Amino acid sequence: MDRRIKFRHLEAFVAIARANRLKRAAEQLNLTQPAISKTLRDLESILGVTLMTRDRAGVRLTPEGQVFLQYAEQSTAALRQGISGIASHSEAGGHVVKIGVLPSVAAQVLPAAIEMFRGASPKTVLHVVEGSHGFLTDCLRAGDLDLVVGRLGDAATMRGLSFTALYAERVVAVVAPDHPQRGATRLEQLEGDLIIYPPEASAIRPLMARLMISRGVPLFADRIECVSGALGRAMTLGALRPVWFISRGVVADDLDAGRLVALDLDMGPTEGAVGIMARSEENPSPLVGLFRGALSDAAKSLDSGRAGH
């Protein structure tokens, strides 16, 4: 875009096109008629085309002017919305943004996103709900949540929802550092162990089922179905000593600190996209849009940190 084009050029052009009179447009913008006429001439000079012709009936758009008007209107409207959005952020006391999150997101990307969001809109109340994929997507469809952050589910669970990917994540099998199965490299070696396994409503259950079928391993008989990070962590480090299948994001800090150990299993088929779910064909409010941007920035920082490792 030519940097000589300023907002005043677009504003004057749009005002003239809508008013169909230079004088009327000048009055609307609190300008003199010579001033608005000069602004239009300057814009045409920069673009190198004639946008309007003038006669006693008023002004008429040339074909080039008709094309340019669509984009000029969109640009001025977007800028005004942005200015309005800034005002709403500064006056957002009492406003609430309702977010649903899966445990892996709550443990990793969400804290950074909240920090960024509160820096831009400190008076907005964030209402965060953690739960299973099925529960959260039902709440989103019902309008009880503004958006959900988590793994992409199967087609049935995504009915009426859109999905914007943020990053990819896989399932890991983790144990206590002194667990006897620490050296296991195949799923079938775990068939006699107590397993913490994702429940039916979780987004990672189909991924685990696909993995087990591809390896010819039946569903573990001795299992507890759970995706709670707190409960899974306490049990894995407790007396029962299970093997815990969970999204890596839930236990990333534990793995980095050595509190838990990931088994050397090929879990590649469980990798899937984590992203933002929203109701389809719904324009987000400025505050929800701001939080989406914070999530995107936090996810980029997360990817940079992984690359650094």
Side-chain angles (χ1 to χ4, degrees):
M1 176 176 169
D2 195 314
R3 294 185 179 181
R4 293 175 295 170
I5 297 178
K6 308 298 182 186
F7 179 71
R8 61 184 174 84
H9 292 122
L10 302 180
E11 184 180 44
F13 171 66
V14 171
I16 296 168
R18 289 175 176 173
N20 198 38
R21 291 286 192 282
L22 285 169
K23 182 179 180 181
R24 191 181 305 161
E27 290 171 350
Q28 292 173 355
L29 297 179
N30 295 317
L31 297 172
T32 64
Q33 187 170 332
I36 198 171
S37 181
K38 180 179 184 303
T39 302
L40 177 59
R41 289 198 306 271
D42 289 345
L43 177 60
E44 290 178 324
S45 176
I46 294 169
L47 294 175
V49 297
T50 299
L51 299 173
M52 294 176 171
T53 58
R54 300 90 167 166
D55 55 31
R56 291 182 179 180
V59 297
R60 295 185 182 183
L61 291 169
T62 64
E64 293 82 1
Q66 290 174 352
V67 172
F68 189 69
L69 178 61
Q70 300 177 44
Y71 298 101
E73 286 180 325
Q74 292 173 13
S75 299
T76 54
L79 186 54
R80 288 193 179 95
Q81 288 176 0
I83 293 170
S84 175
I86 291 173
S88 70
H89 297 157
S90 62
E91 300 171 359
H95 287 237
V96 179
V97 175
K98 297 171 289 185
I99 311 298
V101 293
L102 267 68
S104 60
V105 178
Q108 281 208 291
V109 73
L110 191 64
I114 290 175
E115 184 177 346
M116 294 177 190
F117 178 80
R118 286 189 54 80
S121 187
K123 296 181 181 179
T124 301
V125 175
L126 283 173
H127 181 65
V128 181
V129 177
E130 185 176 334
S132 69
H133 178 86
F135 169 73
L136 294 177
T137 51
D138 284 346
C139 289
L140 179 60
R141 269 188 291 270
D144 297 329
L145 296 172
D146 294 310
L147 54 84
V148 170
V149 192
R151 277 182 177 263
L152 174 63
D154 59 31
T157 66
M158 295 300 295
R159 176 180 48 82
L161 303 178
S162 64
F163 182 84
T164 304
L166 293 172
Y167 59 93
E169 185 174 69
R170 67 178 55 185
V171 176
V172 291
V174 297
V175 295
D178 59 348
H179 195 284
Q181 289 281 33
R182 176 172 177 164
T185 58
R186 302 188 315 279
L187 283 171
E188 51 267 34
Q189 292 177 256
L190 309 178
E191 291 186 71
D193 287 84
L194 173 62
I195 305 294
I196 301 181
Y197 198 79
E200 291 285 354
S202 68
I204 63 174
R205 175 72 174 238
L207 301 177
M208 280 299 304
R210 193 177 308 133
L211 175 68
M212 301 282 284
I213 292 170
S214 70
R215 304 288 161 79
V217 178
L219 181 62
F220 299 109
D222 190 7
R223 68 184 187 277
I224 297 171
E225 298 191 352
C226 166
V227 288
S228 166
L231 180 59
R233 187 175 293 104
M235 291 185 61
T236 303
L237 295 174
L240 291 178
R241 303 170 68 76
V243 178
W244 183 19
F245 287 90
I246 191 67
S247 291
R248 193 185 189 285
V250 177
V251 292
D253 290 343
D254 299 284
L255 294 173
D256 290 342
R259 291 186 293 268
L260 294 172
V261 176
L263 301 185
D264 190 19
L265 306 177
D266 179 9
M267 303 294 290
T270 66
E271 184 165 299
V274 174
I276 302 170
M277 287 164 267
R279 289 179 290 278
S280 300
E281 301 179 359
E282 179 175 296
N283 293 323
S285 70
L287 289 172
V288 173
L290 182 66
F291 194 82
R292 289 180 67 115
L295 283 166
S296 179
D297 290 342
K300 290 175 184 175
S301 298
L302 178 64
D303 281 342
S304 297
R306 287 170 173 170
H309 284 80

